[in-house]
Amino acid sequence: MYQSLFKKLNLKKIQNLTLLSITYWISCLTQKAYIRLYPAFLSIEPLNFCNLHCPECPVGNGSLARKKQLLNIKDFQKIVDKLPDTVIWLNLYFQGEPFLHPQFAEMVKISNEKGIFTSTSTNGHFLHNKEEVKNLIFSGLGKLIISIDGTTQEIYETYRKNGNLQQVIDGIKTLVSLKGELNSKTPFVEIQFLVTKHNEHQISEIKHLAKSLEVDKLSLKSTQVYDFEQGNELIPKNKKYSRYTQDKDGKYRIKKHLKNRCWRQWSGTVITSAGEVLPCCYDKNAQYSFGNLFENSFKEIWFGKKANAFCQTILSNRKGIDICNNCQ
């Protein structure tokens, strides 16, 4: 993966990323948001609907307050053409299942032609067609995260509602096998395991499964829940894998102290299927949109009043921004 990523780098991107880091810390120390540069990392949402009904996902549980939408390939090209040439990494994912997009592989190709490393995240139910998987490999996708939140169907479907574990496993086998046949190092395949109270006893089993499937990496990730103060059935007992802790009064809170800074906000942004430019992936309903790329340039939006005001609030009163209060 890193070899593929390094090939996308050039002097301008490296300089921008270096200056991003420097100006970020200057902004944190001075609490002034006026020193900002173009981002290095982006997410673009191919669509915002899914085949599963995961309980803590706004798409899955039906709470997403945005219109169901698919980003057509022409509009995707328009967005990419407007991006600054400082972008190093593009994640083709936000809300929804990206592989439901009929032209997903073409999106990856467009990103590669722009000289951007591309990744995505999937529930893994659409890797059964060998020709489509070959197209995915040939597209140049750099990294693929596949969610598996249980090693048995019974446990898996407690979170991945309507999901089929065996179908996902078979798809991974197809992908890994074809990578070998085509002598391709990409995409880098990572299994992601959301640790919950239901599946935490299967951690050793998912490690064994990941090894047997010969994927490149396994990640054990803490699960985000929306109603956590009074506890939640998904919060694991093992404190190591929980992003929440219980106080003496019995209420739960985020373990991580919320500081008045956010590297994610300085270095990247999220673009919805409707073209809205958002501060980060926690703004699922686009309530803090900085502007629309189908109406304005990226420069106008990124350095505009809304974006600067949001950044200034991050530096002075991050707790006052509701989407930040469940951030890890």
Side-chain angles (χ1 to χ4, degrees):
M1 180 184 79
Y2 296 106
Q3 184 178 2
S4 178
L5 175 60
F6 291 148
K7 287 181 179 179
K8 304 292 184 182
L9 295 177
N10 57 37
L11 183 59
K12 185 171 185 178
K13 291 181 180 182
I14 294 171
Q15 287 178 333
N16 183 73
L17 182 59
T18 302
L19 289 173
L20 261 177
S21 181
I22 294 171
T23 55
Y24 166 68
W25 285 109
I26 291 175
S27 296
C28 292
L29 291 170
T30 62
Q31 292 189 311
K32 299 293 182 181
Y34 59 82
I35 307 175
R36 295 178 68 227
L37 298 173
Y38 280 121
F41 312 103
L42 290 177
S43 291
I44 297 179
E45 179 183 71
L47 46 76
N48 59 4
F49 49 90
C50 188
N51 56 308
L52 301 187
H53 298 284
C54 305
E56 290 298 319
C57 172
V59 173
N61 64 31
S63 65
L64 191 71
R66 293 189 281 123
K67 182 179 72 173
K68 181 185 286 189
Q69 191 157 356
L70 179 146
L71 179 64
N72 68 59
I73 199 69
K74 290 183 179 180
D75 284 339
F76 176 75
Q77 181 72 67
K78 289 178 183 178
I79 288 175
V80 171
D81 288 342
K82 285 190 174 185
L83 297 180
D85 54 8
T86 58
V87 177
I88 296 171
W89 192 311
L90 172 61
N91 187 30
L92 279 173
Y93 172 76
F94 178 32
Q95 298 299 293
E97 169 50 52
F99 283 5
L100 284 172
H101 199 294
Q103 294 172 300
F104 180 80
E106 190 173 343
M107 286 182 163
V108 177
K109 288 180 181 178
I110 290 172
S111 177
N112 272 320
E113 289 171 0
K114 184 79 172 179
I116 304 172
F117 181 86
T118 311
S119 63
T120 194
S121 181
T122 176
N123 59 47
H125 284 79
F126 302 95
L127 296 170
H128 52 275
N129 186 297
K130 286 189 176 182
E131 288 305 312
E132 291 182 3
V133 174
K134 282 184 180 180
N135 288 337
L136 184 68
I137 294 171
F138 290 140
S139 72
L141 182 68
K143 181 178 180 180
L144 177 61
I145 297 174
I146 304 171
S147 296
I148 297 184
D149 306 318
T151 59
T152 60
Q153 178 62 29
E154 180 184 8
I155 297 300
Y156 173 79
E157 64 184 359
T158 58
Y159 191 81
R160 300 290 164 179
K161 305 289 186 182
N162 289 1
N164 185 311
L165 176 60
Q166 191 58 53
Q167 185 175 332
V168 177
I169 291 174
D170 290 343
I172 294 174
K173 289 179 179 178
T174 298
L175 173 60
V176 172
S177 175
L178 287 174
K179 274 182 61 181
E181 289 179 20
L182 298 170
N183 194 28
S184 176
K185 293 183 179 180
T186 57
F188 181 93
V189 181
E190 176 180 331
I191 287 179
Q192 180 177 274
F193 186 84
L194 290 179
V195 182
T196 69
K197 188 183 293 184
H198 301 301
N199 67 17
E200 59 185 322
H201 65 285
Q202 294 186 334
I203 288 177
S204 61
E205 294 174 20
I206 192 64
K207 289 179 179 179
H208 176 75
L209 178 61
K211 186 176 181 179
S212 68
L213 290 173
E214 299 181 319
V215 297
D216 299 296
K217 183 180 179 181
L218 167 68
S219 291
L220 304 178
K221 187 178 179 181
S222 64
T223 304
Q224 177 194 10
V225 299
Y226 286 93
D227 297 319
F228 59 83
E229 287 191 1
Q230 302 304 322
N232 188 293
E233 64 175 5
L234 292 173
I235 298 176
K237 293 180 180 179
N238 190 327
K239 295 179 181 180
K240 177 182 178 181
Y241 300 109
S242 174
R243 68 172 63 189
Y244 309 98
T245 187
Q246 191 173 22
D247 290 330
K248 292 180 180 179
D249 61 2
K251 290 186 177 182
Y252 286 79
R253 61 174 173 82
I254 295 280
K255 284 194 297 188
K256 186 177 178 181
H257 177 64
L258 194 66
K259 298 179 180 180
N260 287 333
R261 64 180 66 159
C262 181
W263 167 245
R264 182 182 298 175
Q265 173 56 42
W266 255 254
S267 62
T269 189
V270 174
I271 301 168
T272 73
S273 50
E276 300 292 336
V277 179
L278 311 181
C280 71
C281 61
Y282 281 84
D283 190 11
K284 313 216 187 276
N285 285 315
Q287 65 187 98
Y288 293 101
S289 174
F290 299 153
N292 193 292
L293 274 176
F294 298 135
E295 299 171 2
N296 299 100
S297 70
F298 189 87
K299 182 178 180 179
E300 290 172 318
I301 295 170
W302 188 246
F303 298 108
K305 291 182 179 179
K306 288 184 178 181
N308 285 327
F310 188 91
C311 290
Q312 189 59 56
T313 303
I314 287 282
L315 296 173
S316 59
N317 182 31
R318 192 178 173 198
K319 287 183 179 180
I321 303 174
D322 57 350
I323 63 172
C324 293
N325 286 291
N326 201 3
C327 181
Q328 186 180 17

